Amino acid sequence: MLQVLNPATEEPVATVPAATPADVDAAVARAAAAQRGWAAAAPADRARLLRRFAAVVDDHVEELARLEVTEAGHTIGNARWEAGNVRDLLDFSAGGVERLNGRQIPVAGGLDVTILEPLGVVGVIAPWNFPMPIAAWATAPALAAGNAVLLKPAETTPLTALRLAELALEAGLPEGLFQVLPGTGPVAGNALVEHPGVAKIVFTGSTGVGKSIMAKCAGQVKRLTLELGGKSPNIVFADADLEAAAAATPMSFLDNSGQDCCARTRILVQRSVYDRFMELLTPAIEEIVVGDPADERTQMGPLISRAQLDRVRSYVPDDLPGIRGKAPEGPGFWFPPTVLTGLSEDAPCAVEEVFGPVAVVLPFEDEADAIRLANATEYGLSGSIWTRDVGRALRASRAVRAGNLSVNSHSSVRYWTPFGGYQQSGLGRELGPDALTAFTETKNVFISTEA
């Protein structure tokens, strides 16, 4: 059994059965049977059911949000957005069902066409940091493309996934088409990865685990999408609107208590404006409201678990210089907003993914130095560039090796634009106009017209 704790109180809130390899095997068989009928259904019928699923989710947004607050410690505002994002992804994907087009390619002596066919059964291994939306990033387009989905949520956050599976049935999706398999990574996750009846794995999580999954998929030449770690830069040039950049910086790495692969945890500031930027940033950090995630006024909640709290603490000894905000004392996995200064550019906090509310400020001299620092990690997921110079914004956007960049903002993820990383931040792309094609195979058919 898996025990789910409320990270704000450390109190148990639920226990759920943990899937075994036999459970996974039975789920794959059910999914394969359901997928054949789903793929054969008229595209308009699949789209209609997915839109109905979206409508049912919309009816339960508040319920799903409260569940997310309880199991993940997300602020209620964020949790409402996340439930709404599931709804929007289902709607967006439903719109792509009838536009999953092949091509007609000119050839001599006949007609050549391509057909996009579903893969079959897709395994989705979702993380605990954004349990609902990241699960939906793969589930919605995979279903829309005609596949069945087996979702393994993180051990600590299975409740919203289980509820979504119930809502799918309520909306009329076929039994067995979308199943949730709570369990541990080494048991349920591994069984899903190694099962020959699973055509593709979509994994979001740590780079180390992603590499292990990639190696296991290689043995079967199994399709794979990975969204892994990040250590993203927030580059502030001297000509930027410093007030706007400083005001936006706190939530660029404190959103979801810093448990975000896109968190801008490396704040790179041009040396000539470093002191002024820090004067502006200090009160912005100190004023962040950390507390009960169910309170509408709260800006940052707890970390997910004791293990994660211990990990973050290991990176931040008390004697490190910087800015520290406030956090509750007593029960709960609390860590204050923290900005570290005076560290070397190769310090562990400056290059490793802490996955908590901790950022490092590093000065740079000029544009070339900023790009060098921005690219000085093994990751390449996201980043921000603050400047009033359009030419510099374009040059820097080209030079920073990351899959998702923002200029004069911290926005990274929209369900209608592509998302994914460079280097060890991942493999493949999710979301955007091509999301459905990532769950298809392209078949080429030549038809001779010659007698």
Side-chain angles (χ1 to χ4, degrees):
M1 299 292 286
L2 301 176
Q3 185 178 62
V4 181
L5 300 181
N6 183 328
T9 65
E10 303 186 51
E11 295 175 355
V13 294
T15 56
V16 300
T20 66
D23 294 328
V24 172
D25 190 54
V28 172
R30 291 192 298 269
Q35 188 271 333
R36 288 190 287 271
W38 179 247
D45 292 336
R46 290 209 309 269
R48 189 175 300 111
L49 280 172
L50 288 174
R51 284 192 293 269
R52 191 179 300 164
F53 188 9
V56 173
V57 169
D58 190 47
D59 290 340
H60 293 82
V61 161
E62 188 67 18
E63 175 199 345
L64 290 165
R66 295 288 173 181
L67 205 54
E68 192 84 318
V69 170
T70 299
E71 72 170 346
H74 292 190
T75 61
I76 184 60
N78 279 8
R80 287 179 182 134
W81 175 88
E82 291 165 37
N85 190 246
V86 175
R87 171 203 60 214
D88 294 343
L89 275 162
L90 288 165
D91 265 331
F92 182 72
S93 298
V97 174
E98 294 169 283
R99 293 190 292 274
L100 196 60
N101 302 318
R103 294 180 297 170
Q104 187 270 312
I105 302 172
V107 293
L111 175 72
D112 195 276
V113 296
T114 63
I115 303 167
L116 300 180
E117 297 186 338
L119 298 172
V121 177
V122 173
V124 178
I125 302 176
W128 48 258
N129 61 328
F130 291 102
M132 281 193 287
I134 292 182
W137 289 5
T139 298
L143 290 173
N147 301 280
V149 172
L150 299 178
L151 167 62
K152 194 208 84 66
E155 296 96 305
T156 51
T157 55
L159 302 183
T160 50
L162 289 165
R163 185 64 180 130
L164 285 170
E166 293 172 350
L167 296 179
L169 292 176
E170 183 179 321
L173 266 67
E175 189 88 32
L177 187 70
F178 172 42
Q179 301 173 65
V180 173
L181 297 166
T184 66
V187 178
N190 188 64
L192 202 57
V193 169
E194 295 189 339
H195 200 291
V198 175
K200 178 173 182 172
I201 292 292
V202 180
F203 171 78
T204 300
S206 72
T207 298
V209 175
K211 289 177 180 179
S212 173
I213 289 174
M214 190 174 184
K216 291 174 181 177
C217 286
Q220 297 181 40
V221 196
K222 185 171 294 189
R223 277 59 179 154
L224 180 66
T225 296
L226 298 173
E227 197 272 280
L228 306 175
K231 192 69 178 176
S232 300
N234 176 17
I235 308 171
V236 182
F237 287 100
D239 67 343
D241 182 336
L242 294 185
E243 286 76 11
T249 289
M251 297 315 295
S252 77
F253 74 94
L254 296 177
D255 188 49
N256 199 28
S257 306
Q259 299 167 131
D260 181 354
C261 297
C262 292
R264 273 64 163 177
T265 53
R266 305 173 74 240
I267 307 169
L268 313 180
V269 183
Q270 196 154 10
R271 193 177 296 278
S272 61
V273 295
Y274 181 94
D275 290 342
R276 176 56 181 157
F277 180 82
M278 294 305 295
E279 288 175 0
L280 295 166
L281 181 62
T282 298
I285 294 294
E286 294 174 343
E287 293 165 6
I288 293 294
V289 179
V290 183
D292 180 3
D295 189 327
E296 302 278 355
R297 298 167 297 177
T298 296
Q299 295 171 276
M300 192 184 103
L303 294 169
I304 186 67
S305 65
R306 176 66 58 186
Q308 190 62 23
L309 177 59
D310 291 343
R311 171 184 167 83
V312 174
R313 282 176 173 164
S314 73
Y315 276 98
V316 191
D318 292 338
D319 59 349
L320 288 182
I323 311 164
R324 286 171 172 79
K326 302 177 182 67
E329 297 179 358
F333 309 123
W334 305 100
F335 195 89
T338 302
V339 175
L340 301 174
T341 58
L343 300 185
S344 65
E345 62 183 65
D346 60 351
C349 273
V351 294
E352 297 177 17
E353 186 175 40
V354 178
F355 224 58
V358 180
V360 174
V361 185
L362 300 171
F364 66 85
E365 301 299 333
D366 53 21
E367 188 174 320
D369 195 32
I371 300 305
R372 179 189 65 80
L373 277 173
N375 290 335
T377 76
E378 64 186 9
Y379 300 110
L381 188 57
S382 63
S384 295
I385 300 161
W386 292 82
T387 178
R388 289 187 172 98
D389 185 329
V390 174
R392 172 175 285 148
L394 292 173
R395 288 194 303 274
S397 296
R398 290 289 185 92
V400 174
R401 292 190 56 77
N404 312 272
L405 294 171
S406 299
V407 175
N408 296 329
S409 79
H410 294 304
S411 176
S412 287
V413 185
R414 297 177 176 86
Y415 60 80
W416 59 94
T417 60
F419 179 78
Y422 281 38
Q423 302 185 119
Q424 295 196 37
S425 282
L427 180 69
R429 290 296 181 269
E430 298 179 276
L431 307 175
D434 301 322
L436 273 65
T437 61
F439 297 96
T440 64
E441 291 279 22
T442 299
K443 176 177 287 183
N444 193 77
V445 179
F446 170 73
I447 304 168
S448 175
T449 56
E450 295 180 352

